[in-house]
Amino acid sequence: MSGAKILIVDDELIVRESLGGWLERDGHTVDKAASGEESLEKFEKTHYDIILLDIKMEGMSGLDVLKRVKETDPDVSVVMITAYGSIPSAIEAMKSGAYEYLLKPFDPDELMVLIEKIRKHQAERRETQFLREQYKERTRFENMIGQSKALQGVFDLVESVAPTDSTVLIKGETGTGKGLAARAIHTKSRRCQGPFVVVNCGAFPEHLLESELFGYQKGAFTDAKITKKGRLELAHGGTLFLDEVGEVSTRMQIDLLRVLEDHVFYRVGGTQPIEADFRVIAATNKDLEKAIKEGTFREDLYYRLNVISFTMPPLREHRDDIPLLAEYFLHRFAQETNKPVDQVSREALDDMMLYDWPGNVRELGNAVERAVVVGKGRRILPQDLPIFRPEYISSPPARTLREVEIAHLESVLKETQWNVSRSAEILGIDRSTLYDKIKRYALRKPA
């Protein structure tokens, strides 16, 4: 381990010189300051790994210096130098963030052991921070969580799409995280300081959606007591997110197409054109190409929205993210409900991995929240999960090799009451292989 950069702060020359000599002989780089004020001047210009700081000095005290230093750099390790009679002050310093304190007179060996201990602690902290950042980088992207190849592909797409101003269409089933992806694109874009305005197109009847999007002038209709800005106007300088755009009526699609082409519109009852600068991100759980063939969605609007598109994968296609998501939801809801639940049992996790999650990540979150609320212990158990399990149907006598394998898998799983770990052990395969086979053969756990 290379030497540390150390600052010695003491108003006694002999202390500064003796400490400095010992530390330099041990391979460390040393700076010295005779007062608290001088130490802060040096600290502002140079990064130090360790500060040896006298508690009692003329002028600014060591405790005051400690507080200022910790406010600027919480990670710097500060060792307080004190005489025997000042131990209470040293204890106060420890409460304020000091790493340790040294009593005068010093034992050089004791000092060197302490410095090595600090250096080892700093190295471990840096490694932990690095691993934490690596883990965060691998598994978290803005508010989206996933380490699977499918989710990592989405993260890469968001990274490449975000800096542009192109219109984006996000497809995917309900609950897959289309809204989170849209917000991530906004957050990573040059418009991140502007508003992110959400319009749930499926939540409003046609006449209300028009007022919601375009706004209205005072007196435009009976209840229009004031002039109100619409979402298009509010999105100026930012991003307009049209959620469930497939629900927009055919008539409104014409108005929407016009706005998306020139970003000019009129409030309901208004006569003055309004221009707004916004980026458009749309999302849908509908098959818009099928809707075009059925005549319920305009082809020209589809091509206007579909400049860049990607699909959020359903949870059943990235099951390896389920443990990560379950842990995230567990900690979140345990904190929100103030319940001491800190673990998902292996059996409950098996149930989660085997379930198809038609409601996707949203359903998983709701299931974990329910389990946290109704659970009685520190672990989530299978009975705490509101997972629907189809009735078990036994297989007919096997003939083909495939049928033989299915029958054997079902037999072993039934024998172990669908304990995946035990079944994999009996079958002589690992858990992930067994999960793959269960998925491939669409095996179902009995109710």
Side-chain angles (χ1 to χ4, degrees), residues 216-250:
Y216 52 79
Q217 290 293 128
K218 179 181 179 181
F221 46 85
T222 306
D223 293 328
K225 307 296 184 187
I226 58 171
T227 295
K228 180 186 174 184
K229 292 182 178 181
R231 302 288 180 93
L232 298 174
E233 205 168 342
L234 295 172
H236 180 72
T239 302
L240 178 70
F241 176 46
L242 300 172
D243 197 10
E244 304 305 344
V245 72
E247 302 298 328
V248 176
S249 69
T250 310

PDB file of all heavy atoms in Angstrom, residues 216-250:
ATOM      1  N   TYR A 216     -58.131  25.726 -22.342  1.00  0.00           N
ATOM      2  CA  TYR A 216     -59.352  26.402 -22.825  1.00  0.00           C
ATOM      3  C   TYR A 216     -59.359  27.853 -22.375  1.00  0.00           C
ATOM      4  O   TYR A 216     -58.715  28.240 -21.397  1.00  0.00           O
ATOM      5  CB  TYR A 216     -60.606  25.680 -22.333  1.00  0.00           C
ATOM      6  CG  TYR A 216     -60.679  25.422 -20.855  1.00  0.00           C
ATOM      7  CD1 TYR A 216     -61.047  26.430 -19.953  1.00  0.00           C
ATOM      8  CD2 TYR A 216     -60.391  24.159 -20.342  1.00  0.00           C
ATOM      9  CE1 TYR A 216     -61.115  26.188 -18.593  1.00  0.00           C
ATOM     10  CE2 TYR A 216     -60.452  23.904 -18.974  1.00  0.00           C
ATOM     11  CZ  TYR A 216     -60.814  24.933 -18.107  1.00  0.00           C
ATOM     12  OH  TYR A 216     -60.878  24.694 -16.763  1.00  0.00           O
ATOM     13  N   GLN A 217     -60.100  28.642 -23.141  1.00  0.00           N
ATOM     14  CA  GLN A 217     -60.281  30.046 -22.822  1.00  0.00           C
ATOM     15  C   GLN A 217     -61.447  30.218 -21.856  1.00  0.00           C
ATOM     16  O   GLN A 217     -62.395  29.418 -21.857  1.00  0.00           O
ATOM     17  CB  GLN A 217     -60.570  30.855 -24.098  1.00  0.00           C
ATOM     18  CG  GLN A 217     -59.403  31.006 -25.041  1.00  0.00           C
ATOM     19  CD  GLN A 217     -58.298  31.858 -24.464  1.00  0.00           C
ATOM     20  OE1 GLN A 217     -57.147  31.434 -24.454  1.00  0.00           O
ATOM     21  NE2 GLN A 217     -58.614  33.031 -23.968  1.00  0.00           N
ATOM     22  N   LYS A 218     -61.388  31.235 -21.058  1.00  0.00           N
ATOM     23  CA  LYS A 218     -62.498  31.573 -20.175  1.00  0.00           C
ATOM     24  C   LYS A 218     -63.756  31.774 -21.008  1.00  0.00           C
ATOM     25  O   LYS A 218     -63.741  32.472 -22.021  1.00  0.00           O
ATOM     26  CB  LYS A 218     -62.159  32.844 -19.403  1.00  0.00           C
ATOM     27  CG  LYS A 218     -63.259  33.309 -18.459  1.00  0.00           C
ATOM     28  CD  LYS A 218     -62.848  34.583 -17.741  1.00  0.00           C
ATOM     29  CE  LYS A 218     -63.964  35.071 -16.818  1.00  0.00           C
ATOM     30  NZ  LYS A 218     -63.576  36.332 -16.121  1.00  0.00           N
ATOM     31  N   GLY A 219     -64.850  31.105 -20.611  1.00  0.00           N
ATOM     32  CA  GLY A 219     -66.123  31.235 -21.309  1.00  0.00           C
ATOM     33  C   GLY A 219     -66.280  30.307 -22.490  1.00  0.00           C
ATOM     34  O   GLY A 219     -67.297  30.358 -23.189  1.00  0.00           O
ATOM     35  N   ALA A 220     -65.277  29.414 -22.723  1.00  0.00           N
ATOM     36  CA  ALA A 220     -65.369  28.500 -23.867  1.00  0.00           C
ATOM     37  C   ALA A 220     -66.536  27.533 -23.721  1.00  0.00           C
ATOM     38  O   ALA A 220     -67.134  27.099 -24.701  1.00  0.00           O
ATOM     39  CB  ALA A 220     -64.060  27.732 -24.031  1.00  0.00           C
ATOM     40  N   PHE A 221     -66.887  27.204 -22.476  1.00  0.00           N
ATOM     41  CA  PHE A 221     -68.061  26.361 -22.192  1.00  0.00           C
ATOM     42  C   PHE A 221     -68.553  26.721 -20.805  1.00  0.00           C
ATOM     43  O   PHE A 221     -67.976  27.565 -20.100  1.00  0.00           O
ATOM     44  CB  PHE A 221     -67.725  24.860 -22.313  1.00  0.00           C
ATOM     45  CG  PHE A 221     -66.442  24.452 -21.635  1.00  0.00           C
ATOM     46  CD1 PHE A 221     -66.418  24.138 -20.275  1.00  0.00           C
ATOM     47  CD2 PHE A 221     -65.260  24.383 -22.352  1.00  0.00           C
ATOM     48  CE1 PHE A 221     -65.252  23.768 -19.651  1.00  0.00           C
ATOM     49  CE2 PHE A 221     -64.064  24.009 -21.736  1.00  0.00           C
ATOM     50  CZ  PHE A 221     -64.071  23.695 -20.390  1.00  0.00           C
ATOM     51  N   THR A 222     -69.631  26.114 -20.378  1.00  0.00           N
ATOM     52  CA  THR A 222     -70.345  26.531 -19.164  1.00  0.00           C
ATOM     53  C   THR A 222     -69.444  26.616 -17.941  1.00  0.00           C
ATOM     54  O   THR A 222     -69.494  27.583 -17.184  1.00  0.00           O
ATOM     55  CB  THR A 222     -71.508  25.560 -18.871  1.00  0.00           C
ATOM     56  OG1 THR A 222     -72.337  25.473 -20.035  1.00  0.00           O
ATOM     57  CG2 THR A 222     -72.324  26.050 -17.687  1.00  0.00           C
ATOM     58  N   ASP A 223     -68.600  25.601 -17.719  1.00  0.00           N
ATOM     59  CA  ASP A 223     -67.790  25.564 -16.502  1.00  0.00           C
ATOM     60  C   ASP A 223     -66.429  26.243 -16.661  1.00  0.00           C
ATOM     61  O   ASP A 223     -65.608  26.183 -15.745  1.00  0.00           O
ATOM     62  CB  ASP A 223     -67.578  24.112 -16.064  1.00  0.00           C
ATOM     63  CG  ASP A 223     -68.882  23.459 -15.614  1.00  0.00           C
ATOM     64  OD1 ASP A 223     -69.723  24.187 -15.074  1.00  0.00           O
ATOM     65  OD2 ASP A 223     -69.027  22.242 -15.824  1.00  0.00           O
ATOM     66  N   ALA A 224     -66.177  26.861 -17.813  1.00  0.00           N
ATOM     67  CA  ALA A 224     -64.877  27.494 -18.035  1.00  0.00           C
ATOM     68  C   ALA A 224     -64.864  28.886 -17.401  1.00  0.00           C
ATOM     69  O   ALA A 224     -65.005  29.905 -18.076  1.00  0.00           O
ATOM     70  CB  ALA A 224     -64.584  27.571 -19.530  1.00  0.00           C
ATOM     71  N   LYS A 225     -64.682  28.936 -16.082  1.00  0.00           N
ATOM     72  CA  LYS A 225     -64.714  30.205 -15.334  1.00  0.00           C
ATOM     73  C   LYS A 225     -63.418  30.997 -15.506  1.00  0.00           C
ATOM     74  O   LYS A 225     -63.396  32.202 -15.314  1.00  0.00           O
ATOM     75  CB  LYS A 225     -64.935  29.933 -13.844  1.00  0.00           C
ATOM     76  CG  LYS A 225     -66.154  29.053 -13.533  1.00  0.00           C
ATOM     77  CD  LYS A 225     -67.463  29.714 -13.946  1.00  0.00           C
ATOM     78  CE  LYS A 225     -68.657  28.855 -13.527  1.00  0.00           C
ATOM     79  NZ  LYS A 225     -69.926  29.393 -14.059  1.00  0.00           N
ATOM     80  N   ILE A 226     -62.329  30.285 -15.817  1.00  0.00           N
ATOM     81  CA  ILE A 226     -61.034  30.944 -16.003  1.00  0.00           C
ATOM     82  C   ILE A 226     -60.365  30.370 -17.249  1.00  0.00           C
ATOM     83  O   ILE A 226     -60.775  29.310 -17.749  1.00  0.00           O
ATOM     84  CB  ILE A 226     -60.095  30.725 -14.791  1.00  0.00           C
ATOM     85  CG1 ILE A 226     -59.883  29.213 -14.548  1.00  0.00           C
ATOM     86  CG2 ILE A 226     -60.635  31.399 -13.533  1.00  0.00           C
ATOM     87  CD1 ILE A 226     -58.807  28.904 -13.529  1.00  0.00           C
ATOM     88  N   THR A 227     -59.335  31.056 -17.725  1.00  0.00           N
ATOM     89  CA  THR A 227     -58.518  30.499 -18.812  1.00  0.00           C
ATOM     90  C   THR A 227     -57.525  29.508 -18.216  1.00  0.00           C
ATOM     91  O   THR A 227     -56.869  29.803 -17.216  1.00  0.00           O
ATOM     92  CB  THR A 227     -57.770  31.625 -19.543  1.00  0.00           C
ATOM     93  OG1 THR A 227     -58.733  32.477 -20.179  1.00  0.00           O
ATOM     94  CG2 THR A 227     -56.828  31.058 -20.588  1.00  0.00           C
ATOM     95  N   LYS A 228     -57.434  28.335 -18.831  1.00  0.00           N
ATOM     96  CA  LYS A 228     -56.558  27.287 -18.293  1.00  0.00           C
ATOM     97  C   LYS A 228     -55.582  26.807 -19.375  1.00  0.00           C
ATOM     98  O   LYS A 228     -55.980  26.530 -20.504  1.00  0.00           O
ATOM     99  CB  LYS A 228     -57.381  26.093 -17.801  1.00  0.00           C
ATOM    100  CG  LYS A 228     -56.527  24.972 -17.230  1.00  0.00           C
ATOM    101  CD  LYS A 228     -57.373  23.754 -16.889  1.00  0.00           C
ATOM    102  CE  LYS A 228     -56.486  22.591 -16.449  1.00  0.00           C
ATOM    103  NZ  LYS A 228     -57.259  21.364 -16.205  1.00  0.00           N
ATOM    104  N   LYS A 229     -54.300  26.733 -19.007  1.00  0.00           N
ATOM    105  CA  LYS A 229     -53.293  26.193 -19.926  1.00  0.00           C
ATOM    106  C   LYS A 229     -53.445  24.678 -20.032  1.00  0.00           C
ATOM    107  O   LYS A 229     -53.724  23.998 -19.044  1.00  0.00           O
ATOM    108  CB  LYS A 229     -51.887  26.523 -19.437  1.00  0.00           C
ATOM    109  CG  LYS A 229     -51.522  27.991 -19.502  1.00  0.00           C
ATOM    110  CD  LYS A 229     -50.084  28.200 -19.037  1.00  0.00           C
ATOM    111  CE  LYS A 229     -49.683  29.659 -19.137  1.00  0.00           C
ATOM    112  NZ  LYS A 229     -48.278  29.886 -18.708  1.00  0.00           N
ATOM    113  N   GLY A 230     -53.236  24.155 -21.231  1.00  0.00           N
ATOM    114  CA  GLY A 230     -53.274  22.712 -21.429  1.00  0.00           C
ATOM    115  C   GLY A 230     -51.915  22.075 -21.232  1.00  0.00           C
ATOM    116  O   GLY A 230     -50.893  22.753 -21.048  1.00  0.00           O
ATOM    117  N   ARG A 231     -51.880  20.749 -21.284  1.00  0.00           N
ATOM    118  CA  ARG A 231     -50.632  20.022 -21.061  1.00  0.00           C
ATOM    119  C   ARG A 231     -49.589  20.326 -22.142  1.00  0.00           C
ATOM    120  O   ARG A 231     -48.393  20.308 -21.866  1.00  0.00           O
ATOM    121  CB  ARG A 231     -50.898  18.510 -21.021  1.00  0.00           C
ATOM    122  CG  ARG A 231     -51.902  18.053 -19.963  1.00  0.00           C
ATOM    123  CD  ARG A 231     -51.362  18.141 -18.569  1.00  0.00           C
ATOM    124  NE  ARG A 231     -52.334  17.709 -17.575  1.00  0.00           N
ATOM    125  CZ  ARG A 231     -52.429  16.478 -17.094  1.00  0.00           C
ATOM    126  NH1 ARG A 231     -51.596  15.541 -17.512  1.00  0.00           N
ATOM    127  NH2 ARG A 231     -53.337  16.172 -16.183  1.00  0.00           N
ATOM    128  N   LEU A 232     -50.060  20.587 -23.356  1.00  0.00           N
ATOM    129  CA  LEU A 232     -49.114  20.921 -24.425  1.00  0.00           C
ATOM    130  C   LEU A 232     -48.341  22.185 -24.080  1.00  0.00           C
ATOM    131  O   LEU A 232     -47.118  22.264 -24.273  1.00  0.00           O
ATOM    132  CB  LEU A 232     -49.853  21.126 -25.745  1.00  0.00           C
ATOM    133  CG  LEU A 232     -50.616  19.924 -26.314  1.00  0.00           C
ATOM    134  CD1 LEU A 232     -51.414  20.344 -27.535  1.00  0.00           C
ATOM    135  CD2 LEU A 232     -49.669  18.797 -26.676  1.00  0.00           C
ATOM    136  N   GLU A 233     -49.056  23.167 -23.563  1.00  0.00           N
ATOM    137  CA  GLU A 233     -48.440  24.444 -23.203  1.00  0.00           C
ATOM    138  C   GLU A 233     -47.520  24.278 -21.994  1.00  0.00           C
ATOM    139  O   GLU A 233     -46.428  24.855 -21.936  1.00  0.00           O
ATOM    140  CB  GLU A 233     -49.545  25.451 -22.899  1.00  0.00           C
ATOM    141  CG  GLU A 233     -49.174  26.888 -23.089  1.00  0.00           C
ATOM    142  CD  GLU A 233     -50.381  27.811 -23.044  1.00  0.00           C
ATOM    143  OE1 GLU A 233     -51.524  27.340 -23.210  1.00  0.00           O
ATOM    144  OE2 GLU A 233     -50.150  29.009 -22.827  1.00  0.00           O
ATOM    145  N   LEU A 234     -47.964  23.460 -21.041  1.00  0.00           N
ATOM    146  CA  LEU A 234     -47.178  23.249 -19.824  1.00  0.00           C
ATOM    147  C   LEU A 234     -45.881  22.490 -20.104  1.00  0.00           C
ATOM    148  O   LEU A 234     -44.928  22.575 -19.344  1.00  0.00           O
ATOM    149  CB  LEU A 234     -48.007  22.479 -18.785  1.00  0.00           C
ATOM    150  CG  LEU A 234     -49.234  23.204 -18.233  1.00  0.00           C
ATOM    151  CD1 LEU A 234     -50.061  22.258 -17.374  1.00  0.00           C
ATOM    152  CD2 LEU A 234     -48.821  24.430 -17.427  1.00  0.00           C
ATOM    153  N   ALA A 235     -45.864  21.742 -21.217  1.00  0.00           N
ATOM    154  CA  ALA A 235     -44.682  20.934 -21.552  1.00  0.00           C
ATOM    155  C   ALA A 235     -43.608  21.742 -22.267  1.00  0.00           C
ATOM    156  O   ALA A 235     -42.553  21.196 -22.610  1.00  0.00           O
ATOM    157  CB  ALA A 235     -45.092  19.745 -22.418  1.00  0.00           C
ATOM    158  N   HIS A 236     -43.825  23.030 -22.485  1.00  0.00           N
ATOM    159  CA  HIS A 236     -42.866  23.868 -23.216  1.00  0.00           C
ATOM    160  C   HIS A 236     -41.474  23.792 -22.554  1.00  0.00           C
ATOM    161  O   HIS A 236     -41.330  23.980 -21.356  1.00  0.00           O
ATOM    162  CB  HIS A 236     -43.350  25.322 -23.232  1.00  0.00           C
ATOM    163  CG  HIS A 236     -42.430  26.246 -23.959  1.00  0.00           C
ATOM    164  ND1 HIS A 236     -42.291  26.239 -25.332  1.00  0.00           N
ATOM    165  CD2 HIS A 236     -41.572  27.208 -23.505  1.00  0.00           C
ATOM    166  CE1 HIS A 236     -41.397  27.153 -25.685  1.00  0.00           C
ATOM    167  NE2 HIS A 236     -40.949  27.745 -24.605  1.00  0.00           N
ATOM    168  N   GLY A 237     -40.474  23.481 -23.367  1.00  0.00           N
ATOM    169  CA  GLY A 237     -39.100  23.375 -22.872  1.00  0.00           C
ATOM    170  C   GLY A 237     -38.758  22.022 -22.294  1.00  0.00           C
ATOM    171  O   GLY A 237     -37.624  21.778 -21.884  1.00  0.00           O
ATOM    172  N   GLY A 238     -39.754  21.118 -22.264  1.00  0.00           N
ATOM    173  CA  GLY A 238     -39.515  19.807 -21.662  1.00  0.00           C
ATOM    174  C   GLY A 238     -40.009  18.670 -22.527  1.00  0.00           C
ATOM    175  O   GLY A 238     -39.853  18.683 -23.754  1.00  0.00           O
ATOM    176  N   THR A 239     -40.617  17.681 -21.885  1.00  0.00           N
ATOM    177  CA  THR A 239     -41.063  16.459 -22.562  1.00  0.00           C
ATOM    178  C   THR A 239     -42.541  16.225 -22.309  1.00  0.00           C
ATOM    179  O   THR A 239     -43.005  16.345 -21.171  1.00  0.00           O
ATOM    180  CB  THR A 239     -40.260  15.236 -22.057  1.00  0.00           C
ATOM    181  OG1 THR A 239     -38.865  15.463 -22.274  1.00  0.00           O
ATOM    182  CG2 THR A 239     -40.679  13.973 -22.772  1.00  0.00           C
ATOM    183  N   LEU A 240     -43.278  15.892 -23.368  1.00  0.00           N
ATOM    184  CA  LEU A 240     -44.684  15.511 -23.257  1.00  0.00           C
ATOM    185  C   LEU A 240     -44.771  13.997 -23.390  1.00  0.00           C
ATOM    186  O   LEU A 240     -44.374  13.433 -24.413  1.00  0.00           O
ATOM    187  CB  LEU A 240     -45.514  16.183 -24.356  1.00  0.00           C
ATOM    188  CG  LEU A 240     -47.004  15.831 -24.387  1.00  0.00           C
ATOM    189  CD1 LEU A 240     -47.729  16.438 -23.192  1.00  0.00           C
ATOM    190  CD2 LEU A 240     -47.643  16.303 -25.686  1.00  0.00           C
ATOM    191  N   PHE A 241     -45.276  13.334 -22.363  1.00  0.00           N
ATOM    192  CA  PHE A 241     -45.406  11.879 -22.375  1.00  0.00           C
ATOM    193  C   PHE A 241     -46.869  11.502 -22.563  1.00  0.00           C
ATOM    194  O   PHE A 241     -47.693  11.728 -21.681  1.00  0.00           O
ATOM    195  CB  PHE A 241     -44.858  11.285 -21.076  1.00  0.00           C
ATOM    196  CG  PHE A 241     -45.035   9.789 -20.977  1.00  0.00           C
ATOM    197  CD1 PHE A 241     -44.728   8.953 -22.043  1.00  0.00           C
ATOM    198  CD2 PHE A 241     -45.488   9.207 -19.796  1.00  0.00           C
ATOM    199  CE1 PHE A 241     -44.883   7.580 -21.960  1.00  0.00           C
ATOM    200  CE2 PHE A 241     -45.646   7.834 -19.690  1.00  0.00           C
ATOM    201  CZ  PHE A 241     -45.350   7.022 -20.774  1.00  0.00           C
ATOM    202  N   LEU A 242     -47.191  10.946 -23.727  1.00  0.00           N
ATOM    203  CA  LEU A 242     -48.554  10.515 -24.048  1.00  0.00           C
ATOM    204  C   LEU A 242     -48.684   9.032 -23.711  1.00  0.00           C
ATOM    205  O   LEU A 242     -48.347   8.157 -24.517  1.00  0.00           O
ATOM    206  CB  LEU A 242     -48.845  10.755 -25.529  1.00  0.00           C
ATOM    207  CG  LEU A 242     -48.756  12.215 -26.001  1.00  0.00           C
ATOM    208  CD1 LEU A 242     -48.873  12.298 -27.518  1.00  0.00           C
ATOM    209  CD2 LEU A 242     -49.840  13.066 -25.335  1.00  0.00           C
ATOM    210  N   ASP A 243     -49.147   8.747 -22.513  1.00  0.00           N
ATOM    211  CA  ASP A 243     -49.291   7.357 -22.069  1.00  0.00           C
ATOM    212  C   ASP A 243     -50.587   6.781 -22.628  1.00  0.00           C
ATOM    213  O   ASP A 243     -51.605   7.466 -22.717  1.00  0.00           O
ATOM    214  CB  ASP A 243     -49.301   7.309 -20.539  1.00  0.00           C
ATOM    215  CG  ASP A 243     -49.022   5.916 -20.017  1.00  0.00           C
ATOM    216  OD1 ASP A 243     -48.634   5.045 -20.817  1.00  0.00           O
ATOM    217  OD2 ASP A 243     -49.185   5.697 -18.797  1.00  0.00           O
ATOM    218  N   GLU A 244     -50.552   5.496 -23.002  1.00  0.00           N
ATOM    219  CA  GLU A 244     -51.693   4.799 -23.600  1.00  0.00           C
ATOM    220  C   GLU A 244     -52.261   5.581 -24.781  1.00  0.00           C
ATOM    221  O   GLU A 244     -53.454   5.827 -24.886  1.00  0.00           O
ATOM    222  CB  GLU A 244     -52.777   4.529 -22.534  1.00  0.00           C
ATOM    223  CG  GLU A 244     -52.290   3.743 -21.328  1.00  0.00           C
ATOM    224  CD  GLU A 244     -51.632   2.413 -21.696  1.00  0.00           C
ATOM    225  OE1 GLU A 244     -51.796   1.930 -22.835  1.00  0.00           O
ATOM    226  OE2 GLU A 244     -50.912   1.863 -20.849  1.00  0.00           O
ATOM    227  N   VAL A 245     -51.373   5.973 -25.699  1.00  0.00           N
ATOM    228  CA  VAL A 245     -51.777   6.782 -26.855  1.00  0.00           C
ATOM    229  C   VAL A 245     -52.740   6.030 -27.771  1.00  0.00           C
ATOM    230  O   VAL A 245     -53.483   6.646 -28.542  1.00  0.00           O
ATOM    231  CB  VAL A 245     -50.522   7.249 -27.631  1.00  0.00           C
ATOM    232  CG1 VAL A 245     -49.869   6.092 -28.384  1.00  0.00           C
ATOM    233  CG2 VAL A 245     -50.832   8.408 -28.545  1.00  0.00           C
ATOM    234  N   GLY A 246     -52.760   4.718 -27.676  1.00  0.00           N
ATOM    235  CA  GLY A 246     -53.676   3.918 -28.488  1.00  0.00           C
ATOM    236  C   GLY A 246     -55.137   4.110 -28.126  1.00  0.00           C
ATOM    237  O   GLY A 246     -56.030   3.677 -28.862  1.00  0.00           O
ATOM    238  N   GLU A 247     -55.405   4.760 -27.001  1.00  0.00           N
ATOM    239  CA  GLU A 247     -56.781   4.986 -26.564  1.00  0.00           C
ATOM    240  C   GLU A 247     -57.367   6.289 -27.105  1.00  0.00           C
ATOM    241  O   GLU A 247     -58.537   6.580 -26.880  1.00  0.00           O
ATOM    242  CB  GLU A 247     -56.843   5.020 -25.024  1.00  0.00           C
ATOM    243  CG  GLU A 247     -56.330   3.767 -24.335  1.00  0.00           C
ATOM    244  CD  GLU A 247     -57.143   2.532 -24.704  1.00  0.00           C
ATOM    245  OE1 GLU A 247     -58.366   2.684 -24.952  1.00  0.00           O
ATOM    246  OE2 GLU A 247     -56.561   1.437 -24.764  1.00  0.00           O
ATOM    247  N   VAL A 248     -56.577   7.107 -27.804  1.00  0.00           N
ATOM    248  CA  VAL A 248     -57.067   8.388 -28.327  1.00  0.00           C
ATOM    249  C   VAL A 248     -58.092   8.130 -29.430  1.00  0.00           C
ATOM    250  O   VAL A 248     -57.888   7.280 -30.309  1.00  0.00           O
ATOM    251  CB  VAL A 248     -55.894   9.229 -28.879  1.00  0.00           C
ATOM    252  CG1 VAL A 248     -56.409  10.526 -29.513  1.00  0.00           C
ATOM    253  CG2 VAL A 248     -54.902   9.540 -27.775  1.00  0.00           C
ATOM    254  N   SER A 249     -59.208   8.880 -29.398  1.00  0.00           N
ATOM    255  CA  SER A 249     -60.271   8.698 -30.395  1.00  0.00           C
ATOM    256  C   SER A 249     -59.773   9.093 -31.785  1.00  0.00           C
ATOM    257  O   SER A 249     -58.813   9.858 -31.927  1.00  0.00           O
ATOM    258  CB  SER A 249     -61.484   9.547 -30.035  1.00  0.00           C
ATOM    259  OG  SER A 249     -61.178  10.934 -30.193  1.00  0.00           O
ATOM    260  N   THR A 250     -60.444   8.591 -32.823  1.00  0.00           N
ATOM    261  CA  THR A 250     -60.036   8.874 -34.198  1.00  0.00           C
ATOM    262  C   THR A 250     -60.058  10.370 -34.486  1.00  0.00           C
ATOM    263  O   THR A 250     -59.158  10.912 -35.150  1.00  0.00           O
ATOM    264  CB  THR A 250     -60.954   8.131 -35.188  1.00  0.00           C
ATOM    265  OG1 THR A 250     -61.038   6.753 -34.806  1.00  0.00           O
ATOM    266  CG2 THR A 250     -60.412   8.203 -36.600  1.00  0.00           C
TER     267      THR A 250
END
